[in-house]
CSV table of all heavy atoms in Angstrom, one decimal:
chain,number,residue,atom,x,y,z
A,290,MET,N,-11.3,16.9,7.7
A,290,MET,CA,-10.0,16.7,8.2
A,290,MET,C,-9.2,15.9,7.1
A,290,MET,O,-9.7,14.9,6.7
A,290,MET,CB,-10.0,16.0,9.5
A,290,MET,CG,-8.7,16.0,10.2
A,290,MET,SD,-8.9,15.1,11.8
A,290,MET,CE,-8.1,16.3,12.8
A,291,ASN,N,-8.0,16.3,6.8
A,291,ASN,CA,-7.2,15.6,5.8
A,291,ASN,C,-6.3,14.6,6.4
A,291,ASN,O,-5.5,14.9,7.3
A,291,ASN,CB,-6.3,16.6,5.0
A,291,ASN,CG,-6.5,16.6,3.6
A,291,ASN,OD1,-7.2,15.7,3.0
A,291,ASN,ND2,-6.0,17.6,2.9
A,292,GLU,N,-6.5,13.3,6.0
A,292,GLU,CA,-5.7,12.3,6.6
A,292,GLU,C,-4.5,12.0,5.7
A,292,GLU,O,-4.7,11.9,4.5
A,292,GLU,CB,-6.5,11.0,6.8
A,292,GLU,CG,-7.4,11.1,8.0
A,292,GLU,CD,-8.1,9.7,8.3
A,292,GLU,OE1,-7.4,8.7,8.1
A,292,GLU,OE2,-9.2,9.7,8.7
A,293,GLN,N,-3.3,11.7,6.2
A,293,GLN,CA,-2.2,11.4,5.5
A,293,GLN,C,-2.3,9.9,5.1
A,293,GLN,O,-2.8,9.1,5.9
A,293,GLN,CB,-0.9,11.5,6.3
A,293,GLN,CG,-0.5,12.9,6.6
A,293,GLN,CD,0.0,13.6,5.3
A,293,GLN,OE1,-0.7,13.9,4.4
A,293,GLN,NE2,1.3,14.0,5.3
A,294,PRO,N,-2.0,9.5,3.8
A,294,PRO,CA,-2.0,8.1,3.5
A,294,PRO,C,-1.1,7.3,4.3
A,294,PRO,O,0.0,7.8,4.7
A,294,PRO,CB,-1.6,8.1,2.0
A,294,PRO,CG,-1.1,9.4,1.7
A,294,PRO,CD,-1.5,10.4,2.8
A,295,LYS,N,-1.5,6.1,4.7
A,295,LYS,CA,-0.6,5.3,5.5
A,295,LYS,C,0.5,4.7,4.6
A,295,LYS,O,0.2,4.4,3.5
A,295,LYS,CB,-1.5,4.1,6.2
A,295,LYS,CG,-2.4,4.7,7.2
A,295,LYS,CD,-2.9,3.5,8.1
A,295,LYS,CE,-3.5,4.0,9.3
A,295,LYS,NZ,-4.8,4.4,9.3
A,296,ALA,N,1.6,4.5,5.2
A,296,ALA,CA,2.7,4.0,4.5
A,296,ALA,C,2.4,2.5,4.1
A,296,ALA,O,1.8,1.8,4.8
A,296,ALA,CB,4.0,4.0,5.3
A,297,SER,N,2.9,2.1,2.9
A,297,SER,CA,2.6,0.8,2.4
A,297,SER,C,3.6,-0.2,3.0
A,297,SER,O,3.4,-1.4,3.0
A,297,SER,CB,2.7,0.7,0.9
A,297,SER,OG,4.0,1.0,0.5
A,298,GLY,N,4.8,0.3,3.4
A,298,GLY,CA,5.8,-0.6,3.8
A,298,GLY,C,6.7,-1.1,2.7
A,298,GLY,O,7.8,-1.6,2.9
A,299,LYS,N,6.3,-0.8,1.5
A,299,LYS,CA,7.0,-1.2,0.3
A,299,LYS,C,7.9,0.0,-0.2
A,299,LYS,O,7.6,1.1,0.0
A,299,LYS,CB,6.1,-1.6,-0.9
A,299,LYS,CG,5.2,-2.8,-0.6
A,299,LYS,CD,4.3,-3.1,-1.7
A,299,LYS,CE,3.4,-4.3,-1.4
A,299,LYS,NZ,2.5,-4.5,-2.5
A,300,TYR,N,9.0,-0.4,-0.8
A,300,TYR,CA,10.0,0.6,-1.2
A,300,TYR,C,10.4,0.3,-2.7
A,300,TYR,O,10.5,-0.9,-3.0
A,300,TYR,CB,11.3,0.6,-0.3
A,300,TYR,CG,11.0,1.3,1.0
A,300,TYR,CD1,10.3,0.7,2.0
A,300,TYR,CD2,11.6,2.5,1.2
A,300,TYR,CE1,10.1,1.3,3.2
A,300,TYR,CE2,11.4,3.2,2.4
A,300,TYR,CZ,10.6,2.6,3.4
A,300,TYR,OH,10.4,3.2,4.6
A,301,ARG,N,10.6,1.3,-3.5
A,301,ARG,CA,10.9,1.2,-4.9
A,301,ARG,C,12.3,1.7,-5.1
A,301,ARG,O,12.7,2.8,-4.6
A,301,ARG,CB,9.9,2.0,-5.7
A,301,ARG,CG,10.2,2.0,-7.2
A,301,ARG,CD,9.4,2.9,-8.1
A,301,ARG,NE,8.0,2.7,-7.9
A,301,ARG,CZ,7.1,3.6,-7.4
A,301,ARG,NH1,7.6,4.8,-7.0
A,301,ARG,NH2,5.9,3.3,-7.2
A,302,CYS,N,13.1,0.9,-5.9
A,302,CYS,CA,14.4,1.4,-6.3
A,302,CYS,C,14.2,2.5,-7.3
A,302,CYS,O,13.5,2.4,-8.3
A,302,CYS,CB,15.1,0.2,-7.0
A,302,CYS,SG,16.8,0.7,-7.6
A,303,LYS,N,14.9,3.6,-7.0
A,303,LYS,CA,14.8,4.8,-7.9
A,303,LYS,C,15.5,4.6,-9.2
A,303,LYS,O,15.3,5.3,-10.2
A,303,LYS,CB,15.3,6.0,-7.2
A,303,LYS,CG,14.5,6.5,-6.0
A,303,LYS,CD,15.0,7.8,-5.4
A,303,LYS,CE,15.9,7.6,-4.3
A,303,LYS,NZ,16.3,8.8,-3.6
A,304,VAL,N,16.4,3.6,-9.3
A,304,VAL,CA,17.2,3.4,-10.5
A,304,VAL,C,16.5,2.4,-11.5
A,304,VAL,O,16.3,2.7,-12.6
A,304,VAL,CB,18.6,2.8,-10.2
A,304,VAL,CG1,19.4,2.5,-11.4
A,304,VAL,CG2,19.4,3.8,-9.3
A,305,CYS,N,16.0,1.2,-11.0
A,305,CYS,CA,15.4,0.2,-11.9
A,305,CYS,C,14.0,0.0,-11.7
A,305,CYS,O,13.3,-0.7,-12.5
A,305,CYS,CB,16.2,-1.1,-11.8
A,305,CYS,SG,16.0,-2.0,-10.3
A,306,GLY,N,13.4,0.4,-10.5
A,306,GLY,CA,12.0,0.2,-10.3
A,306,GLY,C,11.7,-1.0,-9.5
A,306,GLY,O,10.5,-1.3,-9.3
A,307,TYR,N,12.7,-1.8,-9.1
A,307,TYR,CA,12.4,-3.0,-8.3
A,307,TYR,C,11.7,-2.6,-7.0
A,307,TYR,O,11.9,-1.6,-6.4
A,307,TYR,CB,13.8,-3.7,-7.9
A,307,TYR,CG,13.7,-4.7,-6.9
A,307,TYR,CD1,13.3,-6.0,-7.2
A,307,TYR,CD2,13.9,-4.5,-5.5
A,307,TYR,CE1,13.2,-7.0,-6.3
A,307,TYR,CE2,13.8,-5.5,-4.6
A,307,TYR,CZ,13.4,-6.8,-5.0
A,307,TYR,OH,13.3,-7.8,-4.0
A,308,ILE,N,10.7,-3.4,-6.7
A,308,ILE,CA,9.9,-3.2,-5.5
A,308,ILE,C,10.3,-4.1,-4.4
A,308,ILE,O,10.2,-5.3,-4.5
A,308,ILE,CB,8.3,-3.4,-5.7
A,308,ILE,CG1,7.9,-2.5,-6.9
A,308,ILE,CG2,7.5,-3.1,-4.5
A,308,ILE,CD1,7.8,-1.0,-6.7
A,309,PHE,N,10.7,-3.6,-3.2
A,309,PHE,CA,11.0,-4.4,-2.0
A,309,PHE,C,9.7,-4.5,-1.3
A,309,PHE,O,9.1,-3.5,-0.8
A,309,PHE,CB,12.1,-3.8,-1.1
A,309,PHE,CG,12.2,-4.6,0.1
A,309,PHE,CD1,13.0,-5.7,0.1
A,309,PHE,CD2,11.6,-4.2,1.3
A,309,PHE,CE1,13.2,-6.5,1.3
A,309,PHE,CE2,11.7,-5.0,2.5
A,309,PHE,CZ,12.5,-6.1,2.5
A,310,ASP,N,9.1,-5.7,-1.1
A,310,ASP,CA,7.9,-5.9,-0.4
A,310,ASP,C,8.3,-6.7,0.9
A,310,ASP,O,8.8,-7.8,0.8
A,310,ASP,CB,7.0,-6.8,-1.2
A,310,ASP,CG,5.6,-7.0,-0.6
A,310,ASP,OD1,5.5,-6.8,0.7
A,310,ASP,OD2,4.7,-7.4,-1.3
A,311,PRO,N,8.0,-6.1,2.1
A,311,PRO,CA,8.4,-6.7,3.3
A,311,PRO,C,7.8,-8.1,3.5
A,311,PRO,O,8.3,-8.9,4.2
A,311,PRO,CB,8.1,-5.7,4.4
A,311,PRO,CG,7.3,-4.6,3.8
A,311,PRO,CD,7.4,-4.8,2.3
A,312,GLU,N,6.6,-8.3,3.0
A,312,GLU,CA,5.9,-9.5,3.1
A,312,GLU,C,6.7,-10.7,2.4
A,312,GLU,O,6.6,-11.8,2.8
A,312,GLU,CB,4.5,-9.5,2.6
A,312,GLU,CG,3.6,-8.6,3.5
A,312,GLU,CD,2.1,-8.6,3.0
A,312,GLU,OE1,1.8,-9.5,2.2
A,312,GLU,OE2,1.4,-7.8,3.5
A,313,LYS,N,7.3,-10.3,1.3
A,313,LYS,CA,8.1,-11.3,0.6
A,313,LYS,C,9.6,-11.3,1.0
A,313,LYS,O,10.2,-12.4,0.8
A,313,LYS,CB,8.0,-11.0,-0.9
A,313,LYS,CG,6.6,-11.1,-1.5
A,313,LYS,CD,6.5,-10.7,-2.9
A,313,LYS,CE,5.1,-10.7,-3.4
A,313,LYS,NZ,5.0,-10.2,-4.8
A,314,GLY,N,10.1,-10.2,1.4
A,314,GLY,CA,11.5,-10.1,1.7
A,314,GLY,C,12.4,-10.3,0.5
A,314,GLY,O,11.9,-10.1,-0.6
A,315,ASP,N,13.6,-10.8,0.7
A,315,ASP,CA,14.5,-11.1,-0.4
A,315,ASP,C,15.3,-12.3,0.0
A,315,ASP,O,16.5,-12.2,0.3
A,315,ASP,CB,15.4,-9.9,-0.7
A,315,ASP,CG,16.3,-10.1,-1.9
A,315,ASP,OD1,16.2,-11.1,-2.7
A,315,ASP,OD2,17.3,-9.3,-2.0
A,316,PRO,N,14.6,-13.5,0.1
A,316,PRO,CA,15.3,-14.6,0.6
A,316,PRO,C,16.6,-15.0,-0.1
A,316,PRO,O,17.5,-15.6,0.5
A,316,PRO,CB,14.2,-15.7,0.5
A,316,PRO,CG,12.9,-15.1,0.2
A,316,PRO,CD,13.2,-13.7,-0.3
A,317,ASP,N,16.6,-14.8,-1.4
A,317,ASP,CA,17.8,-15.1,-2.2
A,317,ASP,C,19.0,-14.3,-1.7
A,317,ASP,O,20.2,-14.8,-1.9
A,317,ASP,CB,17.6,-14.8,-3.7
A,317,ASP,CG,16.6,-15.8,-4.3
A,317,ASP,OD1,16.3,-16.8,-3.7
A,317,ASP,OD2,16.1,-15.5,-5.4
A,318,ASN,N,18.8,-13.2,-1.0
A,318,ASN,CA,19.9,-12.4,-0.5
A,318,ASN,C,19.9,-12.2,1.0
A,318,ASN,O,20.4,-11.3,1.6
A,318,ASN,CB,19.9,-11.0,-1.2
A,318,ASN,CG,20.2,-11.1,-2.7
A,318,ASN,OD1,21.3,-11.5,-3.0
A,318,ASN,ND2,19.2,-10.8,-3.5
A,319,GLY,N,19.2,-13.2,1.7
A,319,GLY,CA,19.3,-13.3,3.2
A,319,GLY,C,18.3,-12.4,3.9
A,319,GLY,O,18.4,-12.3,5.1
A,320,ILE,N,17.3,-11.9,3.2
A,320,ILE,CA,16.3,-11.1,3.9
A,320,ILE,C,15.0,-11.9,4.0
A,320,ILE,O,14.3,-12.1,3.0
A,320,ILE,CB,16.0,-9.7,3.1
A,320,ILE,CG1,17.3,-9.0,2.8
A,320,ILE,CG2,15.0,-8.9,3.9
A,320,ILE,CD1,18.1,-8.6,4.0
A,321,THR,N,14.7,-12.3,5.2
A,321,THR,CA,13.5,-13.2,5.3
A,321,THR,C,12.2,-12.5,5.2
A,321,THR,O,12.1,-11.3,5.5
A,321,THR,CB,13.6,-13.9,6.7
A,321,THR,OG1,13.6,-12.9,7.7
A,321,THR,CG2,14.8,-14.8,6.9
A,322,PRO,N,11.2,-13.2,4.7
A,322,PRO,CA,9.8,-12.6,4.6
A,322,PRO,C,9.4,-12.0,6.0
A,322,PRO,O,9.7,-12.6,7.0
A,322,PRO,CB,8.9,-13.7,4.2
A,322,PRO,CG,9.9,-14.6,3.4
A,322,PRO,CD,11.2,-14.5,4.2
A,323,GLY,N,8.8,-10.9,6.0
A,323,GLY,CA,8.3,-10.2,7.2
A,323,GLY,C,9.3,-9.2,7.7
A,323,GLY,O,9.1,-8.6,8.8
A,324,THR,N,10.5,-9.0,7.0
A,324,THR,CA,11.5,-8.0,7.5
A,324,THR,C,11.1,-6.6,7.0
A,324,THR,O,10.9,-6.4,5.8
A,324,THR,CB,12.9,-8.4,6.9
A,324,THR,OG1,13.2,-9.7,7.4
A,324,THR,CG2,13.9,-7.4,7.3
A,325,ALA,N,10.9,-5.7,7.9
A,325,ALA,CA,10.7,-4.3,7.5
A,325,ALA,C,11.9,-3.7,6.8
A,325,ALA,O,13.0,-4.1,7.1
A,325,ALA,CB,10.3,-3.5,8.7
A,326,PHE,N,11.7,-2.8,5.9
A,326,PHE,CA,12.8,-2.2,5.1
A,326,PHE,C,13.8,-1.5,6.1
A,326,PHE,O,15.0,-1.6,5.8
A,326,PHE,CB,12.2,-1.2,4.1
A,326,PHE,CG,13.3,-0.7,3.1
A,326,PHE,CD1,13.7,-1.6,2.1
A,326,PHE,CD2,13.9,0.5,3.2
A,326,PHE,CE1,14.7,-1.2,1.2
A,326,PHE,CE2,14.9,0.9,2.3
A,326,PHE,CZ,15.3,0.1,1.3
A,327,LYS,N,13.3,-0.9,7.1
A,327,LYS,CA,14.2,-0.2,8.1
A,327,LYS,C,15.1,-1.2,8.8
A,327,LYS,O,16.2,-0.9,9.2
A,327,LYS,CB,13.4,0.6,9.1
A,327,LYS,CG,12.6,-0.3,10.1
A,327,LYS,CD,11.9,0.6,11.1
A,327,LYS,CE,11.1,-0.2,12.1
A,327,LYS,NZ,11.9,-1.1,12.9
A,328,ASP,N,14.7,-2.5,8.8
A,328,ASP,CA,15.5,-3.6,9.4
A,328,ASP,C,16.5,-4.3,8.4
A,328,ASP,O,17.2,-5.2,8.8
A,328,ASP,CB,14.6,-4.6,10.1
A,328,ASP,CG,13.8,-3.9,11.3
A,328,ASP,OD1,14.4,-3.0,11.9
A,328,ASP,OD2,12.7,-4.3,11.5
A,329,VAL,N,16.4,-3.9,7.2
A,329,VAL,CA,17.3,-4.5,6.2
A,329,VAL,C,18.6,-3.9,6.4
A,329,VAL,O,18.8,-2.7,6.5
A,329,VAL,CB,16.7,-4.2,4.7
A,329,VAL,CG1,17.7,-4.6,3.7
A,329,VAL,CG2,15.4,-4.9,4.5
A,330,PRO,N,19.7,-4.7,6.4
A,330,PRO,CA,21.1,-4.2,6.6
A,330,PRO,C,21.4,-3.1,5.6
A,330,PRO,O,21.0,-3.2,4.4
A,330,PRO,CB,22.0,-5.4,6.5
A,330,PRO,CG,21.1,-6.6,6.7
A,330,PRO,CD,19.7,-6.2,6.2
A,331,ASP,N,22.2,-2.1,6.0
A,331,ASP,CA,22.6,-1.1,5.1
A,331,ASP,C,23.5,-1.6,3.9
A,331,ASP,O,23.5,-0.9,2.9
A,331,ASP,CB,23.4,0.0,5.9
A,331,ASP,CG,22.5,0.8,6.8
A,331,ASP,OD1,21.3,0.9,6.5
A,331,ASP,OD2,23.0,1.4,7.7
A,332,GLU,N,24.1,-2.7,4.1
A,332,GLU,CA,25.0,-3.2,3.0
A,332,GLU,C,24.2,-4.0,2.0
A,332,GLU,O,24.7,-4.4,1.0
A,332,GLU,CB,26.1,-4.0,3.6
A,332,GLU,CG,25.8,-5.2,4.5
A,332,GLU,CD,25.6,-4.8,6.0
A,332,GLU,OE1,25.8,-3.6,6.3
A,332,GLU,OE2,25.3,-5.6,6.8
A,333,TRP,N,22.9,-4.2,2.2
A,333,TRP,CA,22.0,-4.9,1.2
A,333,TRP,C,22.0,-4.1,-0.1
A,333,TRP,O,22.0,-2.8,0.0
A,333,TRP,CB,20.6,-5.0,1.8
A,333,TRP,CG,19.6,-5.7,0.9
A,333,TRP,CD1,19.5,-7.0,0.6
A,333,TRP,CD2,18.6,-5.0,0.1
A,333,TRP,NE1,18.5,-7.2,-0.3
A,333,TRP,CE2,17.9,-6.0,-0.6
A,333,TRP,CE3,18.2,-3.7,0.0
A,333,TRP,CZ2,16.8,-5.7,-1.4
A,333,TRP,CZ3,17.2,-3.4,-0.9
A,333,TRP,CH2,16.5,-4.4,-1.6
A,334,LYS,N,22.0,-4.7,-1.2
A,334,LYS,CA,21.9,-4.1,-2.5
A,334,LYS,C,20.6,-4.5,-3.2
A,334,LYS,O,20.1,-5.6,-3.0
A,334,LYS,CB,23.1,-4.5,-3.3
A,334,LYS,CG,24.5,-4.2,-2.6
A,334,LYS,CD,25.2,-3.1,-3.3
A,334,LYS,CE,26.6,-3.0,-2.7
A,334,LYS,NZ,26.8,-1.8,-1.9
A,335,CYS,N,20.2,-3.7,-4.1
A,335,CYS,CA,19.0,-4.0,-5.0
A,335,CYS,C,19.4,-5.3,-5.8
A,335,CYS,O,20.4,-5.4,-6.4
A,335,CYS,CB,18.8,-2.9,-6.0
A,335,CYS,SG,17.4,-3.3,-7.1
A,336,PRO,N,18.5,-6.3,-5.7
A,336,PRO,CA,18.8,-7.6,-6.4
A,336,PRO,C,18.7,-7.5,-7.9
A,336,PRO,O,19.2,-8.3,-8.6
A,336,PRO,CB,17.7,-8.5,-5.8
A,336,PRO,CG,16.7,-7.7,-5.3
A,336,PRO,CD,17.3,-6.4,-4.9
A,337,GLU,N,18.1,-6.4,-8.4
A,337,GLU,CA,18.0,-6.2,-9.8
A,337,GLU,C,19.2,-5.5,-10.4
A,337,GLU,O,19.7,-5.8,-11.5
A,337,GLU,CB,16.7,-5.5,-10.2
A,337,GLU,CG,15.4,-6.3,-9.9
A,337,GLU,CD,15.3,-7.5,-10.7
A,337,GLU,OE1,15.5,-7.5,-11.9
A,337,GLU,OE2,14.9,-8.6,-10.2
A,338,CYS,N,19.5,-4.3,-9.8
A,338,CYS,CA,20.6,-3.5,-10.4
A,338,CYS,C,21.8,-3.2,-9.6
A,338,CYS,O,22.8,-2.7,-10.0
A,338,CYS,CB,20.0,-2.2,-10.9
A,338,CYS,SG,19.5,-1.0,-9.5
A,339,GLY,N,21.7,-3.7,-8.3
A,339,GLY,CA,22.9,-3.6,-7.4
A,339,GLY,C,23.2,-2.3,-6.7
A,339,GLY,O,24.3,-2.1,-6.1
A,340,VAL,N,22.3,-1.3,-6.8
A,340,VAL,CA,22.5,-0.1,-6.1
A,340,VAL,C,22.3,-0.2,-4.6
A,340,VAL,O,21.6,-1.2,-4.1
A,340,VAL,CB,21.6,1.1,-6.6
A,340,VAL,CG1,22.0,1.4,-8.1
A,340,VAL,CG2,20.2,0.9,-6.4
A,341,ASN,N,22.8,0.7,-3.8
A,341,ASN,CA,22.7,0.7,-2.4
A,341,ASN,C,21.2,0.9,-1.9
A,341,ASN,O,20.4,1.5,-2.6
A,341,ASN,CB,23.6,1.7,-1.7
A,341,ASN,CG,25.0,1.4,-1.9
A,341,ASN,OD1,25.4,0.2,-2.0
A,341,ASN,ND2,25.8,2.4,-2.0
A,342,LYS,N,21.0,0.5,-0.7
A,342,LYS,CA,19.7,0.7,0.0
A,342,LYS,C,19.2,2.1,0.0
A,342,LYS,O,18.0,2.4,-0.1
A,342,LYS,CB,19.7,0.1,1.4
A,342,LYS,CG,18.5,0.2,2.2
A,342,LYS,CD,18.7,-0.3,3.6
A,342,LYS,CE,17.5,0.0,4.5
A,342,LYS,NZ,17.7,-0.4,5.9
A,343,ASP,N,20.1,3.1,0.0
A,343,ASP,CA,19.7,4.5,0.1
A,343,ASP,C,19.1,5.0,-1.2
A,343,ASP,O,18.7,6.1,-1.3
A,343,ASP,CB,20.9,5.4,0.6
A,343,ASP,CG,22.0,5.4,-0.4
A,343,ASP,OD1,22.0,4.7,-1.4
A,343,ASP,OD2,23.0,6.1,-0.1
A,344,GLN,N,19.1,4.2,-2.3
A,344,GLN,CA,18.5,4.6,-3.5
A,344,GLN,C,17.1,4.1,-3.6
A,344,GLN,O,16.5,4.1,-4.7
A,344,GLN,CB,19.3,4.0,-4.7
A,344,GLN,CG,20.7,4.6,-4.8
A,344,GLN,CD,20.7,6.0,-5.1
A,344,GLN,OE1,20.0,6.5,-6.0
A,344,GLN,NE2,21.4,6.8,-4.3
A,345,PHE,N,16.5,3.7,-2.5
A,345,PHE,CA,15.1,3.3,-2.5
A,345,PHE,C,14.2,4.4,-1.9
A,345,PHE,O,14.7,5.1,-1.0
A,345,PHE,CB,14.9,2.0,-1.7
A,345,PHE,CG,15.3,0.8,-2.4
A,345,PHE,CD1,16.6,0.5,-2.7
A,345,PHE,CD2,14.3,-0.1,-2.9
A,345,PHE,CE1,17.0,-0.7,-3.4
A,345,PHE,CE2,14.7,-1.3,-3.6
A,345,PHE,CZ,16.0,-1.5,-3.8
A,346,GLU,N,13.0,4.5,-2.4
A,346,GLU,CA,12.0,5.5,-1.8
A,346,GLU,C,10.8,4.7,-1.4
A,346,GLU,O,10.4,3.7,-2.1
A,346,GLU,CB,11.7,6.5,-2.8
A,346,GLU,CG,11.1,6.0,-4.1
A,346,GLU,CD,11.0,7.1,-5.2
A,346,GLU,OE1,11.3,8.3,-4.9
A,346,GLU,OE2,10.5,6.7,-6.3
A,347,GLU,N,10.1,5.2,-0.3
A,347,GLU,CA,8.9,4.5,0.1
A,347,GLU,C,7.8,4.8,-0.9
A,347,GLU,O,7.7,5.9,-1.4
A,347,GLU,CB,8.5,5.1,1.5
A,347,GLU,CG,7.4,4.4,2.1
A,347,GLU,CD,7.2,4.7,3.6
A,347,GLU,OE1,7.7,5.8,4.0
A,347,GLU,OE2,6.5,4.0,4.3
A,348,ILE,N,7.0,3.8,-1.1
A,348,ILE,CA,5.8,3.9,-1.9
A,348,ILE,C,4.6,4.2,-1.0
A,348,ILE,O,4.3,3.5,-0.1
A,348,ILE,CB,5.5,2.6,-2.7
A,348,ILE,CG1,6.7,2.2,-3.6
A,348,ILE,CG2,4.3,2.7,-3.5
A,348,ILE,CD1,6.6,0.8,-4.2
A,349,LEU,N,3.9,5.3,-1.3
A,349,LEU,CA,2.7,5.7,-0.6
A,349,LEU,C,1.5,5.3,-1.4
A,349,LEU,O,1.5,5.4,-2.6
A,349,LEU,CB,2.7,7.2,-0.3
A,349,LEU,CG,3.8,7.7,0.6
A,349,LEU,CD1,3.7,9.2,0.7
A,349,LEU,CD2,3.7,7.1,2.0
A,350,PRO,N,0.5,4.7,-0.7
A,350,PRO,CA,-0.7,4.3,-1.5
A,350,PRO,C,-1.4,5.5,-2.0
A,350,PRO,O,-1.3,6.6,-1.5
A,350,PRO,CB,-1.5,3.5,-0.4
A,350,PRO,CG,-0.9,3.9,0.9
A,350,PRO,CD,0.5,4.4,0.7
A,351,ALA,N,-2.1,5.2,-3.1
A,351,ALA,CA,-2.9,6.3,-3.7
A,351,ALA,C,-3.9,6.8,-2.7
A,351,ALA,O,-4.5,6.0,-2.0
A,351,ALA,CB,-3.6,5.9,-5.0
A,352,ALA,N,-4.1,8.1,-2.7
A,352,ALA,CA,-5.1,8.7,-1.8
A,352,ALA,C,-6.5,8.4,-2.2
A,352,ALA,O,-6.8,8.3,-3.3
A,352,ALA,CB,-4.9,10.2,-1.6
């Protein structure tokens, strides 16, 4: 039986490669540690390059 890899909860900016890690959050921009990416406000921007949240993709762990 083939199991799907479990989501890591981390998201990568498709523009600059910044990794959003929910365990760390983005305290400098008001996102407290432990905040899931889905709970990050839509108006949040990448702290490295400034693109919108919709420019992030979920990182799946290696199979």
Side-chain angles (χ1 to χ4, degrees):
M290 191 181 233
N291 237 351
E292 287 189 34
Q293 292 287 68
K295 290 194 165 83
S297 68
K299 296 179 182 178
Y300 283 75
R301 178 187 306 119
C302 176
K303 293 188 267 185
V304 176
C305 73
Y307 169 82
I308 305 290
F309 175 84
D310 183 343
E312 289 183 16
K313 296 178 183 174
D315 181 15
D317 292 342
N318 293 296
I320 309 300
T321 57
T324 302
F326 191 75
K327 69 177 180 63
D328 296 327
V329 172
D331 289 339
E332 55 273 1
W333 178 79
K334 306 252 189 247
C335 176
E337 295 291 320
C338 71
V340 298
N341 293 329
K342 179 182 171 186
D343 64 0
Q344 292 297 309
F345 279 73
E346 60 189 357
E347 188 171 16
I348 300 172
L349 296 176

